[in-house]
Amino acid sequence: DADPSVPSSLNAEGGKYTVQMRGTTFEVDAGTTLRTAMLRNGVTPHNGGSKEINCRGLGTCGTCAVEIHGAPGSVLPVERNAKESLRLNFPPHSSPSCDNLRLACQ
């Protein structure tokens, strides 16, 4: 579940993204999942107890949902994939205010 009080942002430049999340800034190569990049940089994509119990990147639990800020189209792929669309269509992610959520593992 995303924590809206923890801002995150992505800025693309030269095939890399600069990610700011939970007080940490790091570079991510285009094509790398946010979940992988976060773990490599010592930032958990999960909240609370879900650090121990989660789907390990399969896209089924929703515990790595992150809120994306930035210009429309600045995060690729622009559209949610099938796993994201399915999982983020169930509570607690199903409200219209969750339209900018994505799964870090996807």
Side-chain angles (χ1 to χ4, degrees):
D1 305 327
D3 182 351
S5 67
V6 180
S8 62
S9 63
L10 296 169
N11 296 308
E13 187 173 310
K16 289 189 176 275
Y17 288 92
T18 300
V19 178
Q20 296 174 334
M21 186 142 192
R22 297 186 179 135
T24 302
T25 301
F26 51 92
E27 296 289 316
V28 179
D29 290 324
T32 303
T33 66
L34 183 55
R35 178 185 187 274
T36 297
M38 291 171 71
L39 291 171
R40 286 180 182 163
N41 285 280
V43 179
T44 180
H46 308 289
N47 58 55
S50 64
K51 287 187 261 185
E52 303 300 325
I53 301 173
N54 61 73
C55 71
R56 305 288 188 244
L58 297 176
T60 57
C61 71
T63 61
C64 68
V66 293
E67 187 173 0
I68 303 296
H69 300 272
S74 63
V75 177
L76 298 176
V78 175
E79 299 292 323
R80 290 177 174 171
N81 67 23
K83 287 181 181 180
E84 286 177 308
S85 294
L86 181 62
R87 179 56 195 98
L88 297 175
N89 200 27
F90 289 98
H93 309 303
S94 57
S95 73
S97 65
C98 294
D99 288 346
N100 59 342
L101 291 182
R102 300 293 293 269
L103 296 179
C105 67
Q106 298 299 300

